[in-house]
Amino acid sequence: MPFERKNKFVLQSVYRGVSYIMLSFGVLLYYFPTPLQFQHYVVAIFSACVFIATLCIFFLAKHKFTRRQIKQIIFVLDLSVMAAVLSAVHLSFVFSSLTLASFWYFSTTFNKVSFVGYSLGFLCAVMTFYVNSFLFFGFENYFEDTSIYLTVYSFICFCACFGVTNYFNRKELQNLIATKDYYQEQMNRYIQFSNQLSRYAPLQLWQSIMRGDTQAKIDYKRKKMTVFFSDVIGFTQLAERLIPDDLAFVLNDYLSHMAEIAKRYEGTLDKFIGDGMLIFFGDPQSQGAEADAKRCVEMAITMRQQMHVLRERWLKMGFPELHIRMGISTGYCHVGNYGSDYRMSYTLIGHDVNLAARLQAAAHPDEILIADETYRLIKDEFVCVPKEPMQLKGLSEPIQTWQIIDKYTGIRSDLQQWFDYEYKGFHLLLNLDEAQHYEYQQLLDVLEQMKQRIQTQQDLTTEQGIARLDERDEVPDSDAKLKDFESDKVRI
């Protein structure tokens, strides 16, 4: 791009130099019928000086002035040359009119001049006009008719100026289109690269860096965070039984669904640790410690529900039954960039990070264990069951923990999209997000059949769980049998 700018300046300089020569020759043609004197060459000398000054300004002052300022200075010099020409030809009507039109067309095309530039240029032009008139050309014979040669020459110069300016316009337009395409291509490549690189960093961190809110430097801060750990039970043993391709399919299927859920609840996905996940809430985006904790717990419940769906699908595909366990803790942690200037990682450290990992390790299959601090923040919206204080590895004191059952539904129970109930011999998993509206009646028929089957089984069973007998199935007592035997004997 700098090479194109340099070529553009060279072309404009050549065009400006040719224009000065044409104006100077027009002045000489104006005085051609009379003997040429020294003052008739003033315009040519002045034009040459201005042209040299223009080149010097560009090469010497480009480091002190902006391109816009340089253009305005050159505009003032061009206007001064034109004023000297008009003074020399005593405002000859045809030549002056075409000169003004050519100058205006050229200046509006290539020079974006401010109001201050126009004002200064007009002032310098008036001063140049009167100085030249006073010193060299006099104040008589204004607007007089000129020779036919100068008139024809004026039209030829005007047409040449118009054609060259249009040529520059087309070249400028082509350069603008090429520049636009170039930067558009670079922007598309930049977006593609940034999208690819963003997959190796938490989404919230990448967005914060792109907005300029976060700098890629070694830095950290202390904030109250809610930390989530999860792990797949028995995945190590599963790795010994499955071939690598099947193992990779199960792992990617599980992690992709869990990562999508984390994105939905705006959790910062720190890293994958094998089949485990570390997610935290509170940085770089936070809605407050309480709201962060509630979103984290609700995310964990959704993950547990999604795991039911994945487990059923994996079983149908021939894979073993897999379960997850989750741990959540809330407290102050240090979060930020750790490592070196060459390679750094955005993560968090602190007591509650270790506590969440210990809770996850102590949880039972499909159980969500939370620390006491998290419970105090979410207890108003979630059903929690207290657990016996646990002595966790690496902690000196027993920790009070709570098990998350589900979220309080209240009057919104009829609007829940998930319904999950599991008991001995019975498991009902309803996901209305997956069911279509035309399938609702079929689901109701299935539930009605299930209800009738349970009622039939209840009618066939006593309160003690013993099957009921019909009258024909009952065995008569011994006295009745004896009376029947004696009656038969008498008849004989």
Side-chain angles (χ1 to χ4, degrees):
M1 304 310 294
F3 178 74
E4 293 181 1
R5 291 177 180 175
K6 185 176 181 181
N7 285 343
K8 180 179 176 181
F9 171 75
V10 171
L11 291 175
Q12 289 186 9
S13 299
V14 172
Y15 179 68
R16 178 174 283 103
V18 172
S19 300
Y20 287 173
I21 293 174
M22 293 171 66
L23 291 175
S24 301
F25 187 76
V27 172
L28 295 178
L29 191 61
Y30 175 80
Y31 288 102
F32 181 72
T34 62
L36 296 178
Q37 301 178 9
F38 168 76
Q39 64 265 28
H40 302 154
Y41 297 97
V42 169
V43 172
I45 297 172
F46 182 63
S47 300
C49 295
V50 170
F51 181 74
I52 296 173
T54 301
L55 297 178
C56 295
I57 289 173
F58 183 82
F59 287 109
L60 298 179
K62 63 179 181 179
H63 299 295
K64 297 181 180 180
F65 300 98
T66 63
R67 295 183 60 87
R68 183 179 178 85
Q69 292 173 337
I70 293 176
K71 284 185 176 182
Q72 293 186 4
I73 294 174
I74 294 176
F75 171 77
V76 172
L77 294 177
D78 289 341
L79 199 58
S80 299
V81 171
M82 188 197 67
V85 171
L86 297 183
S87 175
V89 298
H90 297 97
L91 296 179
S92 175
F93 182 76
V94 176
F95 185 79
S96 300
S97 300
L98 295 179
T99 300
L100 288 173
S102 301
F103 176 78
W104 180 260
Y105 185 58
F106 175 81
S107 63
T108 54
T109 301
F110 297 105
N111 294 325
K112 307 301 180 181
V113 183
S114 64
F115 176 76
V116 176
Y118 277 114
S119 302
L120 182 61
F122 179 76
L123 179 61
C124 291
V126 172
M127 292 177 60
T128 304
F129 180 86
Y130 280 104
V131 168
N132 280 271
S133 298
F134 180 77
L135 295 178
F136 305 109
F137 306 113
F139 295 95
E140 67 280 351
N141 301 325
Y142 284 114
F143 304 108
E144 67 178 2
D145 295 334
T146 57
S147 65
I148 188 65
Y149 304 105
L150 182 59
T151 302
V152 173
Y153 177 78
S154 302
F155 277 104
I156 293 175
C157 292
F158 176 77
C159 293
C161 176
F162 186 81
V164 172
T165 305
N166 282 337
Y167 170 78
F168 275 115
N169 278 335
R170 289 195 299 270
K171 293 291 291 185
E172 183 74 12
L173 182 60
Q174 293 175 359
N175 290 334
L176 289 176
I177 295 175
T179 303
K180 177 184 176 182
D181 294 340
Y182 171 79
Y183 283 115
Q184 186 67 40
E185 181 183 356
Q186 295 299 319
M187 181 62 68
N188 292 335
R189 292 182 57 191
Y190 168 76
I191 293 175
Q192 292 176 0
F193 290 152
S194 62
N195 288 335
Q196 293 179 9
L197 292 175
S198 67
R199 301 181 183 182
Y200 293 92
L203 177 63
Q204 294 83 349
L205 174 64
W206 174 73
Q207 292 176 343
S208 181
I209 292 177
M210 295 299 292
R211 292 193 304 266
D213 299 337
T214 302
Q215 299 294 326
K217 62 180 181 179
I218 302 299
D219 189 21
Y220 59 87
K221 51 194 170 184
R222 185 172 181 266
K223 297 184 67 175
K224 192 167 187 178
M225 315 282 292
T226 296
V227 188
F228 169 90
F229 261 99
S230 69
D231 182 57
V232 178
I233 302 175
F235 192 82
T236 304
Q237 292 76 12
L238 181 66
E240 300 175 356
R241 299 167 54 186
L242 296 181
I243 62 175
D245 290 344
D246 291 342
L247 183 67
F249 167 77
V250 173
L251 180 60
N252 288 328
D253 193 25
Y254 164 74
L255 293 178
S256 63
H257 282 85
M258 299 300 115
E260 187 64 29
I261 294 173
K263 178 182 177 181
R264 187 190 315 167
Y265 288 94
E266 299 180 354
T268 301
L269 178 55
D270 188 336
K271 60 176 67 73
F272 298 118
I273 310 172
D275 58 305
M277 300 176 65
L278 170 59
I279 304 172
F280 56 83
F281 292 77
D283 192 82
Q285 300 173 357
S286 176
Q287 299 179 6
E290 182 176 345
D292 292 340
K294 291 177 180 178
R295 283 189 292 126
C296 182
V297 173
E298 193 167 356
M299 178 195 71
I301 295 175
T302 305
M303 287 182 172
R304 181 173 62 184
Q305 294 168 344
Q306 183 64 33
M307 193 62 183
H308 286 304
V309 178
L310 295 177
R311 182 163 54 245
E312 295 296 329
R313 186 171 70 180
W314 292 338
L315 287 173
K316 293 179 181 179
M317 298 173 65
F319 298 121
E321 188 176 271
L322 295 176
H323 297 267
I324 60 173
R325 53 192 177 191
M326 293 166 277
I328 300 174
S329 178
T330 302
Y332 283 95
C333 305
H334 284 86
V335 59
N337 297 322
Y338 295 88
S340 65
D341 293 335
Y342 171 72
R343 177 70 169 86
M344 63 183 65
S345 176
Y346 174 75
T347 186
L348 77 169
I349 58 175
H351 166 74
D352 286 276
V353 180
N354 299 327
L355 178 57
R358 298 290 182 261
L359 291 174
Q360 173 267 129
H364 294 102
D366 296 328
E367 187 178 51
I368 305 172
L369 284 184
I370 64 174
D372 195 53
E373 178 65 22
T374 306
Y375 168 74
R376 286 196 289 268
L377 294 173
I378 60 96
K379 62 182 179 180
D380 295 334
E381 294 189 14
F382 295 88
V383 181
C384 305
V385 176
K387 305 278 288 188
E388 293 293 332
M390 295 182 178
Q391 183 65 51
L392 301 177
K393 181 181 178 181
L395 302 178
S396 58
E397 298 292 334
I399 300 298
Q400 176 63 51
T401 60
W402 300 77
Q403 178 188 355
I404 297 293
I405 303 300
D406 206 342
K407 186 175 182 179
Y408 284 124
T409 57
I411 60 176
R412 296 183 299 170
S413 59
D414 296 336
L415 302 177
Q416 281 189 301
Q417 300 297 306
W418 275 92
F419 187 88
D420 187 8
Y421 180 78
E422 186 173 3
Y423 191 67
K424 295 182 296 183
F426 183 84
H427 181 200
L428 177 61
L429 174 62
L430 176 63
N431 183 6
L432 292 178
D433 288 332
E434 299 287 339
Q436 302 294 329
H437 68 280
Y438 54 82
E439 298 175 331
Y440 292 162
Q441 186 59 46
Q442 181 181 353
L443 296 177
L444 292 175
D445 295 341
V446 172
L447 293 176
E448 185 65 29
Q449 294 176 10
M450 185 187 302
K451 177 182 176 182
Q452 293 176 1
R453 181 66 186 86
I454 296 176
Q455 287 179 347
T456 301
Q457 187 66 25
Q458 184 180 19
D459 295 339
L460 295 176
T461 309
T462 63
E463 294 181 357
Q464 290 77 25
I466 302 174
R468 298 181 186 273
L469 298 177
D470 296 336
E471 293 182 359
R472 58 188 177 184
D473 295 329
E474 293 183 359
V475 179
D477 55 14
S478 58
D479 293 340
K481 287 183 178 180
L482 182 59
K483 289 180 181 180
D484 292 340
F485 176 76
E486 289 179 351
S487 62
D488 292 340
K489 182 177 180 183
V490 170
R491 284 195 297 270
I492 295 172

